[in-house]
Amino acid sequence: MQEHADILFANDAFYYAFQMKDLEAMDGLWARGAPVACTHPGWPSLSGRDQVMQSWQAILTNPESLAVTCRGARARRYGEVAFVTCYETVGENLLAATNVFLREDGAWKLVHHQAGPCHVAPPELAEEEEEDSRLQ
């Protein structure tokens, strides 16, 4: 149960850095030793830490970037890898997102983020920890 809370905390930290436009915090959330990738809505897929961090710099320093809020986060873990599925509200838009984490130096670090349009709102967006004993 604590592992899921830690994963959700790492996910919350990601969205907090996003909301605060804190590039230094965002940089600290991404893995340094593992390969990373990111697919922003409407962008081509980016691979490698340099490309991914350049994209975050462009987004976070853009004064016209809309606020992003995470809702309905659910964590799933398999050993040293975890992923969170959630929804992002960006202005009036709803996006479905997946954030993949890897345990690196004792902390959950992002290795992949992908978000895209969600045209059908889910029935409920309550955040909950989902624990599946098969994935422990």
Side-chain angles (χ1 to χ4, degrees):
M1 193 73 127
Q2 182 60 44
E3 283 295 318
H4 282 75
D6 292 345
I7 295 160
L8 289 172
F9 181 81
N11 193 68
D12 288 345
F14 168 68
Y15 284 101
Y16 186 75
F18 204 160
Q19 289 171 349
M20 300 307 293
K21 297 186 175 195
D22 187 338
L23 185 58
E24 185 176 339
M26 182 65 76
D27 183 68
L29 295 168
W30 284 82
R32 294 189 182 278
V36 300
C38 186
T39 306
H40 300 292
W43 291 42
S45 292
L46 305 171
S47 293
R49 198 167 200 292
D50 288 343
Q51 279 191 357
V52 170
M53 293 316 303
Q54 286 172 6
S55 75
W56 285 113
Q57 181 176 12
I59 290 167
L60 299 179
T61 60
N62 181 349
E64 296 181 21
S65 290
L66 298 173
V68 176
T69 304
C70 173
R71 300 172 58 198
R74 292 186 172 186
R76 294 169 182 89
R77 179 179 67 91
Y78 185 75
E80 299 297 298
V81 177
F83 66 94
V84 174
T85 55
C86 58
Y87 295 90
E88 297 176 355
T89 53
V90 183
E92 298 294 318
N93 299 307
L94 181 66
L95 306 175
T98 302
N99 298 312
V100 181
F101 296 87
L102 174 75
R103 180 156 333 254
E104 185 178 84
D105 298 327
W108 291 106
K109 299 292 184 173
L110 276 159
V111 292
H112 183 71
H113 167 74
Q114 183 165 352
C118 180
H119 300 292
V120 178
E124 182 178 316
L125 288 179
E127 185 169 315
E128 60 183 67
E129 295 176 20
E130 185 171 297
E131 195 160 349
D132 185 342
S133 61
R134 294 173 295 157
L135 299 180
Q136 298 297 320

